[in-house]
Amino acid sequence: MDFKDVIKKLDKMLSQPLPGRLGQISMAPKPVDEKRFSEYQPINPRRGAVLMLFYPGENDTLVPFIKRPSYDGVHGGQVSFPGGKWEEQDQGLSQTALRETEEEIGVSQSSVNLLGKLSDLYIPPSNFLVSPFIGFVEEMPMFEADPFEVDRIISCPVDLLTDLNIRKEGEIIVRDKMKLNAPYFDIEKEMVWGATAMMLGEFMFLWENY
């Protein structure tokens, strides 16, 4: 899809009321944990932010995901948007998203145009309340992955992201221990599930309805 057309559509859809739970729940792991949704605000959560970044490719528009290195932690080996925890020097959560994106994949904060954000989403296992921001850069970035934070960068075309055929459901093995059933996006043979899939669920609700 043409980059300028994508940005126009994003700008229009982000001016609409956010669906929140209505969009997020479509990609929530089963059984659904209602504490994830905004009507069940957690007490003293840690705050974090991520960035869904759009950029022009040669013939299409792309969004980068990162795969975390495997480690014995809540999110080890998972695929997500670039982002991380709020720090005291951040002037708001939007700067958290921009700073973390620059640190993790090398996209300069000053080059990113923010369009808006999706609904906050609570992640019970890590007690994080995450704000997903949406932005774009005018040119294809020269990515530089932080080897301590990023195992690989996955650039996904918007046309693939919006393809219903990549939305699947199956058994997820978490940290080689726990099994659960969850919907996911099948992107470059990676299972994008959990909080990232729920954010994408809300995004796709807006994309398909506006």
Side-chain angles (χ1 to χ4, degrees):
M1 188 171 182
D2 180 74
F3 179 69
K4 291 183 179 179
D5 291 339
V6 170
I7 301 307
K8 287 180 182 178
K9 184 173 177 67
L10 292 174
D11 198 38
K12 178 182 178 181
M13 72 187 220
L14 289 170
S15 69
Q16 308 298 321
L18 294 174
R21 182 184 185 279
L22 181 62
Q24 295 165 341
I25 198 170
S26 64
M27 298 301 293
K30 312 289 176 58
V32 174
D33 184 347
E34 291 293 339
K35 294 194 296 292
R36 288 181 175 272
F37 304 107
S38 60
E39 53 262 48
Y40 301 91
Q41 287 295 325
I43 298 173
N44 297 322
R46 297 188 288 173
R47 294 307 307 265
V50 299
L51 180 63
M52 187 176 186
L53 181 69
F54 292 79
Y55 69 92
E58 291 184 3
N59 300 301
D60 50 13
T61 304
L62 300 106
V63 176
F65 294 82
I66 61 172
K67 183 174 183 179
R68 301 286 181 188
S70 296
Y71 61 89
D72 189 19
V74 174
H75 303 298
Q78 293 185 10
V79 176
S80 67
F81 297 118
K85 66 179 180 179
W86 174 84
E87 296 184 359
E88 290 187 3
Q89 71 266 25
D90 294 338
Q91 296 179 351
L93 287 161
S94 61
Q95 189 183 2
T96 301
L98 294 173
R99 175 183 55 76
E100 287 282 347
T101 297
E102 182 170 2
E103 291 175 1
E104 292 181 341
I105 63 174
V107 178
S108 171
Q109 299 180 50
S110 61
S111 69
V112 179
N113 302 279
L114 288 178
L115 292 169
K117 67 182 291 293
L118 300 173
S119 301
D120 292 348
L121 181 64
Y122 182 57
I123 306 176
S126 55
N127 191 35
F128 262 101
L129 184 63
V130 178
S131 296
F133 289 87
I134 292 180
F136 69 93
V137 290
E138 297 281 1
E139 298 179 352
M140 183 182 296
M142 296 290 291
F143 292 120
E144 293 184 25
D146 178 346
F148 295 102
E149 297 277 358
V150 179
D151 185 61
R152 64 182 291 221
I153 297 172
I154 302 165
S155 290
C156 178
V158 168
D159 287 343
L160 175 63
L161 192 60
T162 58
D163 184 350
L164 292 175
N165 291 319
I166 72 166
R167 296 184 221 180
K168 303 177 181 181
E169 188 166 325
E171 185 178 79
I172 309 286
I173 301 176
V174 185
R175 300 193 300 279
D176 298 323
K177 301 173 185 176
M178 184 175 68
K179 295 181 181 180
L180 54 83
N181 190 59
Y184 64 93
F185 289 81
D186 185 357
I187 299 174
E188 284 199 16
K189 299 182 180 180
E190 298 284 357
M191 300 173 77
V192 182
W193 66 283
T196 302
M198 292 174 70
M199 294 171 193
L200 283 171
E202 183 180 35
F203 175 84
M204 293 314 306
F205 182 97
L206 288 166
W207 184 271
E208 291 162 359
N209 287 281
Y210 300 106

